[in-house]
Amino acid sequence: MIGGEAIQSGFHFALNLALLHVLSAQGYGIFAIAMVMGGVGLSYIRSLTAVPASIWMGKSTNRAGVDAHDVTFGGAAVVVASIVGAATALLMLMWGDAGGIAAGCFVGAWSLRSHMRTAFFARRQQMVVSISDFTFTVAGAAMTALAIWTAPNVLQMVFYALAAANLIGIAVLARLAPRPLRLSFRAPVRRRYARLWRQLRWSGFSATTTNIQGQCLALLVAGIAGPAAYAPIAAVLVLFAPLRIVSLAFVNMLQPELAKLMASNEVRRVWMHAKLWSLVMGLGSLVYGAGIMFVLPTIRSQTLADASVSFIGLLAVANFIPIMLYIMPRIVLEILGEFRVVAFITTAGAVVGLVLIAILLAIASPPWSLAGAAASETVVLAASWYFARRHILALESGTLDSGDSRHDSKSTSWRGTEPAPLATGKR
């Protein structure tokens, strides 16, 4: 799983470095905003379809339950990806960029492929995902290189190339799937998703506050100072993108397994894994950050020509270490169905981030806004560990059931009934 994420990360990393030397600061700033919208799309897909699919497919006790949840969340993923893609296109067109539709296609296809990858991981089809990841990377590298070298409008054609590469990755997943993929929007599927909405609405709210907390830096800097002012910050932050990719691999790898352990009341093992992997990711991010600080002064680009790259890099490290450290407690809260707690945590982080970033932009240069973002991530880190530990202690003492008795057993209980097999839907 980590290998598949690594090759995609390497491709995105190389593409960003290439565009740094091809695009103007304004153009690279617009590309960075499109990538931010891609992150928004992935967060909504993760919260509303991918993570719930992984959890409920993981705890299903028979193939009918797995298939039913797969179809339910797959249909929802198509809807969410379409909405996010349309929103991206509209935002880019409002910004005056001719590649708005191309950017929307890219974000929509990327979001849908992200959901499908998670669903295949939940079915333990890691090899199929790895083949798809490799195909996506090769196709994306070839087509974006061709766009950079030959296209008159480089940015627009790069977006189309990325969209096409994601669609090729989706096609490979569909072709190598052990059984034909099913997509249905019939009434039983809609009712099943509606029954789960009691929890998912909090997950959706959490995605919104997470985006405000995580992306407010980009939106505020670009909105107040312009895309060109955000470009050097984005150029440094993109060097840390592999950490996000690796963290996503850990989530895909651990979330279904920890959901099964929690369903079996293996609370101590779940908490042991949370602490162990947090230590691994925290140390890994520290070492990676030190390496980036060493490499940063050697990068030559017009986008970074007048920027304090070492200062931006130091603040970026202060942002990413908390992010890597709160991944595991967040997974624990999610498999316990505590989406409302996650929503409150990210809301607190969003409020802190918005206030501090706005103040710093008013009194200091744009790079200082990263300090406000770091404070926001630290708030989320502290609150995530506090509430995760509190729930684990409650489980161990027997005051909280691992199925979370507050939720309706028909839709959310760990030992609730499996959904009935779906009637044949649209292929």
Side-chain angles (χ1 to χ4, degrees), residues 340-354:
R340 182 166 55 181
V341 173
V342 174
F344 289 153
I345 291 171
T346 53
T347 299
V351 171
V352 171
L354 281 171

Side-chain angles (χ1 to χ4, degrees), residues 85-115:
T88 301
L90 180 61
L91 177 64
M92 291 295 173
L93 290 173
M94 290 174 60
W95 218 310
D97 183 66
I101 295 177
C105 293
F106 157 54
V107 170
W110 188 13
S111 300
L112 182 58
R113 189 172 72 89
S114 175
H115 168 84

Side-chain angles (χ1 to χ4, degrees), residues 48-418:
L48 296 178
T49 68
V51 168
S54 177
I55 292 174
W56 271 291
M57 289 169 68
K59 70 180 182 180
S60 295
T61 57
N62 56 59
R63 181 170 294 178
V66 172
D67 291 343
H69 284 126
D70 194 7
V71 173
T72 300
F73 289 111
V78 171
V79 174
V80 174
S82 300
I83 292 173
V84 175
T88 301
L90 180 61
L91 177 64
M92 291 295 173
L93 290 173
M94 290 174 60
W95 218 310
D97 183 66
I101 295 177
C105 293
F106 157 54
V107 170
W110 188 13
S111 300
L112 182 58
R113 189 172 72 89
S114 175
H115 168 84
M116 293 180 66
R117 293 178 74 255
T118 303
F120 273 71
F121 280 132
R123 286 185 177 272
R124 289 176 168 76
Q125 297 292 327
Q126 292 93 333
M127 183 58 68
V128 174
V129 178
S130 296
I131 295 172
S132 172
D133 291 343
F134 179 76
T135 306
F136 158 77
T137 303
V138 172
M143 289 188 291
T144 53
L146 186 63
I148 289 172
W149 289 335
T150 63
N153 188 331
V154 172
L155 185 58
Q156 182 179 28
M157 293 311 298
V158 163
F159 284 143
Y160 276 127
L162 290 171
N166 277 285
L167 290 175
I168 291 171
I170 290 172
V172 171
L173 288 174
R175 180 66 181 85
L176 298 181
R179 59 181 61 83
L181 298 182
R182 297 166 60 193
L183 182 65
S184 174
F185 298 98
R186 294 183 176 183
V189 177
R190 297 197 302 270
R191 285 195 296 268
R192 180 174 297 112
Y193 192 85
R195 286 197 301 270
L196 300 173
W197 184 248
R198 182 180 177 184
Q199 276 186 283
L200 294 180
R201 64 186 178 183
W202 287 108
S203 187
F205 179 74
S206 175
T208 302
T209 55
T210 297
N211 282 319
I212 294 173
Q213 179 238 337
Q215 311 299 351
C216 64
L217 172 70
L219 298 177
L220 284 176
V221 173
I224 295 174
Y230 178 65
I233 298 175
V236 174
L237 290 180
V238 78
L239 302 178
F240 291 84
L243 290 179
R244 289 192 183 275
I245 299 297
V246 170
S247 71
L248 181 60
F250 274 100
V251 171
N252 288 333
M253 178 174 65
L254 293 173
Q255 197 150 37
E257 302 302 325
L258 295 185
K260 286 183 177 295
L261 289 176
M262 191 65 76
S264 302
N265 286 323
E266 298 280 353
V267 179
R268 288 184 180 274
R269 289 185 63 189
V270 170
W271 193 234
M272 179 194 70
H273 279 296
K275 292 187 289 186
L276 173 64
W277 287 113
S278 291
L279 178 63
V280 170
M281 288 189 284
L283 291 175
S285 61
L286 185 61
V287 172
Y288 184 87
I292 292 297
M293 292 299 297
F294 179 77
V295 171
L296 266 177
T298 67
I299 299 177
R300 297 288 180 265
S301 168
Q302 59 179 338
T303 302
L304 298 175
D306 300 321
S308 304
V309 290
S310 295
F311 179 66
I312 296 175
L314 187 63
L315 290 177
V317 173
N319 272 266
F320 276 91
I321 290 179
I323 290 173
M324 299 300 286
L325 288 174
Y326 67 63
I327 289 169
M328 291 308 301
R330 179 161 180 164
I331 289 177
V332 171
L333 290 170
E334 286 175 342
I335 64 177
L336 287 173
E338 294 293 342
F339 296 110
R340 182 166 55 181
V341 173
V342 174
F344 289 153
I345 291 171
T346 53
T347 299
V351 171
V352 171
L354 281 171
V355 172
L356 291 180
I357 290 173
I359 292 173
L360 288 169
L361 282 173
I363 64 175
S365 60
W368 275 100
S369 60
L370 282 166
S376 172
E377 300 293 1
T378 303
V379 168
V380 175
L381 168 65
S384 296
W385 276 104
Y386 170 77
F387 283 105
R389 183 174 182 274
R390 180 178 174 181
H391 280 78
I392 289 294
L393 290 176
L395 284 172
E396 290 180 337
S397 65
T399 58
L400 178 68
D401 180 69
S402 61
D404 195 351
S405 58
R406 293 172 299 167
H407 302 306
D408 182 3
S409 63
K410 288 183 179 180
S411 60
T412 59
S413 171
W414 291 106
R415 293 180 179 80
T417 56
E418 290 289 354

